[in-house]
Amino acid sequence: MALVKREKTYSWDVTSSKNTRFKLPEIKDTPTINYEKLAWLCSIEGLKNNENPMTSPEAHEVFMKNYKNIFVKPQKRIGLPVHSEKREELKHSLATLSTKAVGPSQKAETHVASSKGGSAKNRSHNIGDYLTQYHTARTSEDPSVIRANNIKTLRRLLRKLPFERSLFDNDRIFSILKNFPFFAQCVPANVLKELCVIAQIEIWNEVDFTVFGINGLFMVLKGAVCPQSSPYLNYSNMANVDQVSPTSLYRSPTPEGDESAENLEVGECFGTLQKIEGREPTSGLFCVKTVEPVCEFLKISTSDYKKVIEQIEQNEHTEKLNLVLSGEQYARWPRQPIMQVANVIEWIEYPPNTVVASEGYKAPFIGFIKSGECHVLRQLEVMHTLRNGKRVRKTKQVVMGKLGMSDSFAEISVLMDEPISCSIVTATSLQLGIIKPEKIKELDEVTIQLFKQSNTKSCANSTKEDIQEEYLQQELKREWNEFKHNVVIDVINQRGIRPGYGKWSK
């Protein structure tokens, strides 16, 4: 039987054909040619066709004038025209490399930043865009540049009046002032934060004008000044106060400054925060003289500083009053003893797992818990079996309870000068208001008697049998947890389970 070669036939049935030989172009939503005008253009008399072998000059001229009308014009946008994109493209194309390196525009930086994470098609290949980022990263690490930028930011923010500045502006001023030595060493953080709210700018436009520093604290933001008295800054709160003679700050007449003294430049301070009693506002103490035109200063007046300190002390005293009144045993006390107790309270903090007071020793202070928790421990002697089978006596610590917010401890131990009957160990970070034993002398006899009547010894009602029962319960719970843990470990090892590997990794 002979083999007959059959020619390959194509089926024009679309349903039976899986692969098409030719892919048709996609039709766009908006056509680019006006077919009505195209049909009119092709129907011009005199054009070359099957009947007319040559095109007449008149028909050719009409065709050339009207052929561009067959293309559809883009629709006009509604509203005002937007030229920012065209201006930005023109700016990128005409800007030189040096111009971009000195002062790049914000949009150019945004374009470079977005092109880093984009595709290779959208990534910029202009070295000038990346050179600006290189210069910015290099100068931002220079301390002198950072200092200059901080001073510039201070001048800009302080030009606003105190009631015009936002919370973000005050926080920014606070973060900048913390980097200057005087504010970091002399002014506590909580006080400095309040002073940033009332800080103002003061401008002196002429040379050889005297600025009296006794009226407040000044920091040079622009220009330079020459000290006219010695010393020119009140270091009474500095750590190295011994280096300055206190008598030289207040003696009269004011000692004159050294003519060869160096000028105070941007970032340096003069004046005082605390008001000097017995001195006139025009006193020569802490005064300076401007040596450059247009000098700008950050100023905090002594009166504003005094108001801030009084407000902080009042808020702190109110907080101490609320702490004492939060205790149940002090809720019915008269107001006068409560005020006396609040006046002698100090703040202190402890980290977790810190022994605040030890059983059998005198308590270091009376404690009022503001926040956090602490455990109350009692000691108990028990028989302990060693590995060799020998039984010995051993002292164990038993948790008898917890103390939380608004609780207090060690009142009787401090007042009676006796050892405390339990140990106090912090379970979390603890904030306390404390009364030290030497501060007890400032309390009157009525307040001390109220303390003794309102409090009892810590764990005074716990007998030895109660401690043993609590110890047994804790030991049984511990042994049960160890038993469960060992059973789980045995099952894992028996079944060949390896946590973190194979199907157990999930």
Side-chain angles (χ1 to χ4, degrees):
M1 182 177 178
L3 298 175
V4 180
K5 182 178 180 181
R6 299 179 61 182
E7 295 182 359
K8 184 177 181 181
T9 59
Y10 295 95
S11 175
W12 296 102
D13 187 4
V14 178
T15 58
S16 63
S17 177
K18 296 182 179 180
N19 300 323
T20 58
R21 291 177 297 166
F22 304 101
K23 186 176 181 181
L24 298 178
E26 296 181 357
I27 300 176
K28 299 182 178 179
D29 297 337
T30 305
T32 58
I33 297 178
N34 191 334
Y35 291 98
E36 294 181 359
K37 293 184 179 181
L38 178 62
W40 175 82
L41 196 63
C42 294
S43 63
I44 297 176
E45 296 182 359
L47 291 179
K48 180 180 179 181
N49 51 32
N50 294 334
E51 298 178 357
N52 188 12
M54 297 294 293
T55 302
S56 63
E58 293 80 4
H60 177 73
E61 185 177 357
V62 174
F63 182 89
M64 295 302 295
K65 287 183 179 180
N66 295 280
Y67 86 95
K68 58 183 179 180
N69 295 330
I70 67 174
F71 300 104
V72 177
K73 296 181 180 180
Q75 297 180 357
K76 295 184 178 180
R77 296 182 180 180
I78 301 176
L80 297 176
V82 181
H83 304 289
S84 59
E85 298 180 358
K86 294 183 179 180
R87 285 201 299 265
E88 192 64 27
E89 293 177 0
L90 182 62
K91 187 175 181 180
H92 277 291
S93 60
L94 297 180
T96 60
L97 182 62
S98 61
T99 304
K100 286 192 174 186
V102 174
S105 63
Q106 185 178 2
K107 291 187 178 181
E109 293 178 355
T110 308
H111 170 70
V112 175
S114 61
S115 62
K116 281 188 174 183
S119 60
K121 183 179 179 181
N122 299 327
R123 188 175 294 118
S124 174
H125 296 282
N126 186 359
I127 193 174
D129 296 337
Y130 300 95
L131 192 61
T132 57
Q133 288 190 342
Y134 170 74
H135 284 297
T136 302
R138 183 178 62 182
T139 56
S140 63
E141 299 176 358
D142 189 357
S144 60
V145 175
I146 296 176
R147 183 184 178 90
N149 291 335
N150 289 339
I151 294 294
K152 184 178 179 181
T153 304
L154 275 178
R155 293 174 57 199
R156 175 177 58 83
L157 295 177
L158 291 174
R159 289 186 181 276
K160 301 179 183 180
L161 295 176
F163 61 86
E164 294 178 341
R165 293 197 293 264
S166 63
L167 180 61
F168 176 79
D169 295 338
N170 293 328
D171 290 340
R172 181 61 178 157
I173 296 174
F174 172 69
S175 62
I176 293 175
L177 292 182
K178 287 192 303 183
N179 299 323
F180 291 90
F182 178 82
F183 294 101
Q185 300 177 17
C186 287
V187 186
N190 61 331
V191 178
L192 179 60
K193 197 165 188 176
E194 299 295 332
L195 293 178
C196 293
V197 180
I198 50 94
Q200 299 180 5
I201 191 171
E202 191 169 292
I203 303 176
W204 296 71
N205 294 321
E206 299 185 13
V207 186
D208 293 336
F209 267 76
T210 301
V211 182
F212 296 100
I214 197 173
N215 299 324
L217 178 72
F218 296 81
M219 187 176 78
V220 183
L221 300 179
K222 183 181 179 181
V225 295
C226 179
Q228 297 297 299
S229 64
S230 178
Y232 56 85
L233 182 61
N234 187 358
Y235 291 95
S236 58
N237 293 335
M238 293 285 285
N240 54 353
V241 66
D242 296 337
Q243 299 178 5
V244 182
S245 176
T247 57
S248 65
L249 291 175
Y250 307 104
R251 63 184 176 142
S252 181
T254 303
E256 298 181 357
D258 188 3
E259 296 181 356
S260 61
E262 296 182 357
N263 294 336
L264 302 181
E265 297 181 350
V266 174
E268 298 186 84
C269 299
F270 64 92
T272 178
L273 284 174
Q274 297 179 350
K275 185 177 181 180
I276 306 300
E277 300 295 338
R279 291 285 186 166
E280 298 181 357
T282 57
S283 173
L285 188 63
F286 308 129
C287 69
V288 297
K289 183 176 65 174
T290 59
V291 296
E292 293 184 8
V294 191
C295 293
E296 297 182 4
F297 308 101
L298 178 149
K299 180 182 178 182
I300 301 173
S301 64
T302 54
S303 59
D304 290 339
Y305 175 77
K306 184 179 180 181
K307 292 178 182 177
V308 168
I309 294 299
E310 291 177 353
Q311 185 66 32
I312 291 176
E313 291 178 352
Q314 183 178 358
N315 294 339
E316 186 176 358
H317 188 265
T318 303
E319 190 175 4
K320 293 176 181 178
L321 280 175
N322 295 333
L323 177 62
V324 177
L325 291 173
S326 62
E328 296 180 359
Q329 63 270 38
Y330 306 106
R332 298 183 179 181
W333 275 29
R335 184 166 184 80
Q336 186 64 27
I338 292 290
M339 296 285 289
Q340 292 186 11
V341 173
N343 291 333
V344 296
I345 286 181
E346 301 176 7
W347 298 114
I348 194 171
E349 295 185 4
Y350 285 104
N353 300 323
T354 303
V355 179
V356 179
S358 299
E359 181 180 353
Y361 295 89
K362 295 179 181 179
F365 47 72
I366 299 174
F368 301 86
I369 300 177
K370 180 183 177 183
S371 64
E373 290 184 352
C374 53
H375 293 303
V376 179
L377 306 180
R378 289 293 302 270
Q379 295 180 359
L380 179 67
E381 289 188 358
V382 297
M383 298 301 296
H384 180 69
T385 304
L386 302 177
R387 292 184 178 181
N388 56 7
K390 186 178 179 180
R391 293 176 63 84
V392 295
R393 287 187 173 274
K394 193 173 183 179
T395 303
K396 293 283 187 178
Q397 296 284 353
V398 184
V399 179
M400 299 300 297
K402 289 184 179 181
L403 295 177
M405 193 182 340
S406 303
D407 291 332
S408 60
F409 57 89
E411 292 93 345
I412 301 300
S413 175
V414 174
L415 293 174
M416 304 297 293
D417 197 17
E418 296 177 353
I420 191 171
S421 58
C422 61
S423 298
I424 308 295
V425 181
T426 60
T428 61
S429 296
L430 198 65
Q431 292 185 352
L432 290 173
I434 63 172
I435 302 177
K436 296 181 179 179
E438 55 269 20
K439 294 288 185 179
I440 299 294
K441 300 178 181 178
E442 300 181 12
L443 303 178
D444 56 18
E445 188 63 27
V446 176
T447 305
I448 295 177
Q449 292 298 327
L450 285 174
F451 260 122
K452 295 179 180 179
Q453 295 174 7
S454 303
N455 296 278
T456 58
K457 293 184 178 180
S458 301
C459 299
N461 298 328
S462 299
T463 61
K464 187 175 180 180
E465 290 75 14
D466 296 335
I467 301 174
Q468 291 178 350
E469 181 65 24
E470 184 66 27
Y471 172 74
L472 292 175
Q473 295 295 331
Q474 294 180 10
E475 286 294 311
L476 290 175
K477 186 176 181 180
R478 181 184 60 81
E479 292 177 359
W480 173 241
N481 290 333
E482 291 181 357
F483 174 76
K484 291 190 295 184
H485 178 74
N486 294 333
V487 170
V488 173
I489 295 298
D490 292 340
V491 172
I492 289 176
N493 295 334
Q494 186 69 22
R495 296 293 183 178
I497 299 173
R498 299 184 63 190
Y501 295 91
K503 65 179 181 180
W504 308 106
S505 61
K506 299 179 182 180

